[in-house]
Amino acid sequence: MDDPRNRRSKAVHHRKRQAEKMAFRYGRYGSHSGGAGGNDDCFYSLRKGTAMRFKTFGNRNDPAVLFFHAMGVTGESSMPVAEKMAEKYYCIMPTSTVYCSGQRYQSKRDEIQQIVRFLGNHGIKEIELIVASSIGADLAMAFLTEIKIPVKHVFFDGGQFAQIGKATRRIMVPFLYIAMKSLYWSKGKTLKRIMWCDDDKIKPYFIEAGKNLTYGNLRRQLTDSLEDKPFSELSEELQKHTFWEFGSIEEHFKYRNAVMQTYIYGNFPVFEGFNHMQYQIQNPEGFARMLETIIETDRLPELAFAMWYRGK
């Protein structure tokens, strides 16, 4: 005869799962997994209203590639590259709470813990490659230095490695807020004012981010991002498998010398004549093939425009 306590336990578990499904369905909090080959659109936060959104592409039984997106866009901005890698890799694209509708940004540490919970819930115990674009480098560096999950390779695309004082970051907030909200208000027409290109392919990611952005979230993000303190330490071994890439005509190129002096065992390619994230935006397939070559050989492929300097 069944123990009634077991029936009660099963009923409680069933109600819990139903609550999680409802939480996911209505964009609140909880978890959801799409299974092998499925695409997730889910939240992983222990507090209601503070959750990141995750998109995935590929089979989660394949090696994992984790993307950290740039400022002013959603995580889906990495989809053009992820689509080209999905036959071999499980691509994970979180969107910061800064750009999630109705959510509140707490801190870099909170966002890192949400990523860790997502990885754990999907059975991911190591990362084949991290791809961090622009200010995504700031969150990626926190992930690399605070979390013990093994990472085999890292690629920084035009990483934002600025070290900015607290007062200056506070002054930056209203200007950045207006610039990003204007992209939503103008349906992307103001993109050329703040970026080297206004390609229709990338406008939707800016528009969606601008729509969801709040002043408070941006202010809180800049409170603990781009801080004026020494760069975080990376092991000699990880440096050897990390690529800090900059376009030769992008503004972020000015950070290259400081990065090279800090991470002396790293790889420092320069894309001659290229602007900020230009190769990734204009040729996502070429960018994806390049990332695959780095995974497979620890080297850049032969690229006519690339100058590659390797550290010690």
Side-chain angles (χ1 to χ4, degrees):
M1 185 174 179
D2 288 343
D3 187 334
R5 289 174 297 181
N6 289 338
R7 291 198 297 272
R8 284 196 299 271
S9 176
K10 290 179 180 178
V12 169
H13 179 72
H14 175 72
R15 287 197 296 272
K16 181 180 177 182
R17 291 303 302 156
Q18 289 300 109
E20 288 180 347
K21 289 178 182 178
M22 290 294 289
F24 163 70
R25 185 176 301 162
Y26 292 104
R28 296 192 178 101
Y29 63 103
S31 64
H32 171 79
S33 172
N39 295 335
D40 301 331
D41 191 359
C42 43
F43 298 91
Y44 280 82
S45 177
L46 298 181
R47 293 186 300 275
K48 180 179 177 180
T50 63
M52 304 176 79
R53 188 173 73 248
F54 290 80
K55 274 286 193 186
T56 66
F57 210 79
N59 189 316
R60 67 179 179 181
N61 294 319
D62 288 335
V65 176
L66 177 60
F67 291 83
F68 289 87
H69 64 80
M71 178 176 278
V73 295
T74 59
E76 289 89 341
S77 59
S78 299
M79 278 294 289
V81 175
E83 288 174 345
K84 306 299 183 183
M85 301 183 72
E87 288 189 7
K88 296 181 180 179
Y89 301 99
Y90 183 54
C91 298
I92 305 164
M93 295 159 281
T95 294
S96 169
T97 47
V98 176
Y99 307 110
C100 290
S101 178
Q103 306 303 305
R104 177 186 173 91
Y105 177 88
Q106 296 291 323
S107 64
K108 282 194 294 189
R109 176 160 293 180
D110 176 71
E111 305 235 314
I112 289 168
Q113 291 302 324
Q114 290 191 55
I115 294 171
V116 170
R117 283 192 291 274
F118 179 92
L119 297 175
N121 287 343
H122 284 67
I124 298 169
K125 297 181 179 179
E126 69 175 16
I127 304 296
E128 188 70 38
L129 171 69
I130 282 178
V131 184
S133 301
S134 197
I135 199 175
D138 193 67
L139 186 59
M141 284 297 295
F143 181 89
L144 289 167
T145 54
E146 295 183 24
I147 302 303
K148 302 305 180 185
I149 297 173
V151 176
K152 292 185 177 180
H153 306 87
V154 184
F155 189 90
F156 292 109
D157 187 13
Q160 172 62 287
F161 290 99
Q163 298 162 301
I164 304 172
K166 186 175 181 179
T168 302
R169 281 181 277 131
R170 192 181 301 120
I171 293 169
M172 290 166 57
V173 174
F175 298 100
L176 290 171
Y177 177 76
I178 292 297
M180 285 187 274
K181 290 300 284 190
S182 71
L183 291 165
Y184 167 60
W185 296 329
S186 70
K187 293 181 170 48
K189 293 179 181 177
T190 59
L191 182 57
K192 197 63 179 285
R193 297 179 187 176
I194 62 173
M195 200 168 173
W196 57 270
C197 76
D198 59 352
D199 196 311
D200 286 339
K201 292 183 292 186
I202 63 174
K203 282 182 181 178
Y205 311 123
F206 283 96
I207 294 169
E208 180 67 16
K211 176 184 176 182
N212 297 332
L213 179 67
T214 67
Y215 190 89
N217 272 346
L218 182 60
R219 176 177 53 79
R220 283 185 289 274
Q221 183 192 31
L222 287 183
T223 297
D224 72 347
S225 301
L226 308 179
E227 295 174 275
D228 186 14
K229 61 182 185 181
F231 292 138
S232 301
E233 292 185 8
L234 294 178
S235 70
E236 177 181 330
E237 184 63 23
L238 183 56
Q239 289 181 46
K240 291 178 179 178
H241 303 285
T242 299
F243 292 73
W244 285 266
E245 172 270 316
F246 297 95
S248 66
I249 62 173
E250 70 168 287
E251 184 180 352
H252 290 182
F253 184 81
K254 63 188 177 185
Y255 305 127
R256 185 170 181 263
N257 283 341
V259 169
M260 290 177 66
Q261 291 170 15
T262 303
Y263 304 113
I264 59 175
Y265 299 100
N267 302 274
F268 308 96
V270 175
F271 289 175
E272 281 295 327
F274 278 62
N275 216 314
H276 186 52
M277 297 174 59
Q278 184 173 343
Y279 189 41
Q280 179 179 172
I281 292 169
Q282 292 188 334
N283 190 348
E285 182 165 5
F287 192 82
R289 299 290 88 83
M290 176 194 70
L291 296 177
E292 290 177 353
T293 300
I294 288 172
I295 291 172
E296 295 165 4
T297 69
D298 266 326
R299 299 181 63 87
L300 284 180
E302 292 295 328
L303 299 171
F305 51 82
M307 294 177 57
W308 181 27
Y309 172 79
R310 186 169 226 163
K312 290 185 178 180

